[in-house]
Amino acid sequence: MRTRCSAVLLALVLATQACGQAEPPPAPAPSLPADWPTQHGTAVREVPMPAGQLLGYLPELTAGHVLCTAPTPQDWRAAMRGEVRTEVFLTDQCHVVSARFELTARLTSDLVTGADTVAGRRARVDRQERASDLDVELVTEEVARPYRGLRPTLSVTVKLREQSARDEQGETGQIAKEAAEAVLRRAGAAGPELPRLNEKGELAAVTPQSPLPGFGVADQPLPVAAQQLCLILGEAFRVDPALGTAEPHGVCAIPLRAGRVVATMTQAGRDRPYQGTVAGQPVTREGEDQVWIGLREGSAQQVHLAGPVPEDVLAAVIPRLAGR
């Protein structure tokens, strides 16, 4: 009798303890991040869309903005399976987040050796447990080799945001393909090939191009910017722009009667703050033949002029550089 009572008592105690234990709370549903942009991110700004093979020659400070804005908002929602947040991350990467997925797109020099295709281009997909990496060839290795600074590959990484989740159906790889296709529908679509080079690696012929209204030489593919610089300097110094020497990574040199002026697309450094403004743009001068000109608000893009540039010529050149 005592044994039976003890057993009953033990069962009651265990039942009471079980009833007193709260069920573990359900895991929170995935959601968009509350704080945006992230610590190393910046808001996406409007930029012109490059065409053809020139996509791979975007300035570092432009590439992420192009990759984020080439797909429409509807494209991003469809590819990422829901509402999204977008930012430019670490200077040149497009970073997109939905409730379940995180995507990074960038231009790289990676070699594409896969047998897959995306948007009719050679591609390689590497699938892991929680993520997929996709490389899409913009320009073949053979064509890209002589072009200094060209980044001929679109690289996209997609991963699951939930740490415990596994991509058993290969959804991250499919999202990477859809995102790359959306980018390439507008950026890098049908358009010009890379300009021909001479044996020195310079543009074989300078075809002067007008700066883009509202942008000037900023946010343009670097070979385009080089020819815009030739036009602006040629007009300012009354020299035929076609006599200039242009390099595909954003450099133009215009010959003068005594010496030359060299314009170079670059970006501002922390060690050289602007000293003032000329024609509404921030400017720094060092001596008589070194000038740095800021181009766009919220961007570190600038033009460096090396050579004799009188103040009246500088005042005439700057609005053209800024697209005014």
Side-chain angles (χ1 to χ4, degrees), residues 21-105:
Q21 290 178 350
E23 290 290 329
S31 62
L32 291 168
D35 297 326
W36 199 262
T38 61
Q39 180 181 0
H40 298 292
T42 58
V44 179
R45 56 183 167 79
E46 181 186 3
V47 288
M49 286 295 115
Q53 295 180 341
L54 293 173
L55 172 61
Y57 247 135
L58 287 174
E60 179 184 13
L61 297 175
T62 304
H65 297 276
V66 167
L67 298 178
C68 274
T69 56
T72 65
Q74 293 82 0
D75 288 335
W76 279 127
R77 287 195 292 269
M80 299 291 285
R81 313 309 193 242
E83 293 297 323
V84 299
R85 300 281 187 269
T86 61
E87 66 174 358
V88 172
F89 185 70
L90 295 177
T91 305
D92 67 339
Q93 302 177 26
C94 175
H95 182 213
V96 185
V97 171
S98 67
R100 295 177 54 213
F101 301 99
E102 181 174 9
L103 175 148
T104 302

Side-chain angles (χ1 to χ4, degrees), residues 245-263:
T245 300
E247 299 179 34
H249 51 284
V251 180
C252 174
I254 290 291
L256 304 178
R257 290 181 179 177
R260 63 178 189 165
V261 173
V262 180

Side-chain angles (χ1 to χ4, degrees), residues 61-295:
L61 297 175
T62 304
H65 297 276
V66 167
L67 298 178
C68 274
T69 56
T72 65
Q74 293 82 0
D75 288 335
W76 279 127
R77 287 195 292 269
M80 299 291 285
R81 313 309 193 242
E83 293 297 323
V84 299
R85 300 281 187 269
T86 61
E87 66 174 358
V88 172
F89 185 70
L90 295 177
T91 305
D92 67 339
Q93 302 177 26
C94 175
H95 182 213
V96 185
V97 171
S98 67
R100 295 177 54 213
F101 301 99
E102 181 174 9
L103 175 148
T104 302
R106 60 202 183 281
L107 299 174
T108 71
S109 299
D110 296 343
L111 179 64
V112 181
T113 57
D116 207 338
T117 58
V118 170
R121 305 163 189 259
R122 183 161 57 180
R124 179 191 66 86
V125 181
D126 179 18
R127 296 184 177 89
Q128 298 109 43
E129 277 191 342
R130 302 184 57 253
S132 293
D133 296 321
L134 169 68
D135 290 331
V136 184
E137 185 177 78
L138 305 176
V139 180
T140 66
E141 180 189 11
E142 294 76 17
V143 170
R145 191 175 295 119
Y147 289 89
R148 175 183 169 189
L150 177 69
R151 293 182 289 174
T153 301
L154 171 62
S155 296
V156 180
T157 296
V158 179
K159 64 181 180 181
L160 294 165
R161 292 185 63 209
E162 295 177 89
Q163 293 298 319
S164 60
R166 295 292 179 267
D167 185 21
E168 297 178 356
Q169 305 300 320
E171 196 170 9
T172 57
Q174 183 59 36
I175 290 172
K177 286 186 176 183
E178 292 176 18
E181 289 169 350
V183 167
L184 295 172
R185 274 196 293 270
R186 289 189 65 214
E193 296 181 352
L194 293 168
R196 292 185 302 107
L197 303 180
N198 60 25
E199 65 280 358
K200 297 180 180 179
E202 305 162 342
L203 300 191
V206 175
T207 304
Q209 298 192 36
S210 297
L212 197 61
F215 294 96
V217 299
D219 294 321
Q220 309 294 309
L222 292 172
V224 174
Q227 298 184 89
Q228 292 171 339
L229 291 171
C230 282
L231 175 64
I232 293 170
L233 292 180
E235 290 178 344
F237 286 97
R238 303 181 186 278
V239 175
D240 182 356
L243 298 177
T245 300
E247 299 179 34
H249 51 284
V251 180
C252 174
I254 290 291
L256 304 178
R257 290 181 179 177
R260 63 178 189 165
V261 173
V262 180
T264 303
M265 293 292 299
T266 182
Q267 60 189 58
R270 296 178 181 176
D271 56 342
R272 189 186 298 109
Y274 292 116
Q275 299 168 342
T277 60
V278 175
Q281 298 299 124
V283 168
T284 288
R285 261 197 183 276
E286 288 187 7
E288 297 182 355
D289 58 358
Q290 299 285 335
V291 187
W292 289 265
I293 304 159
L295 297 176

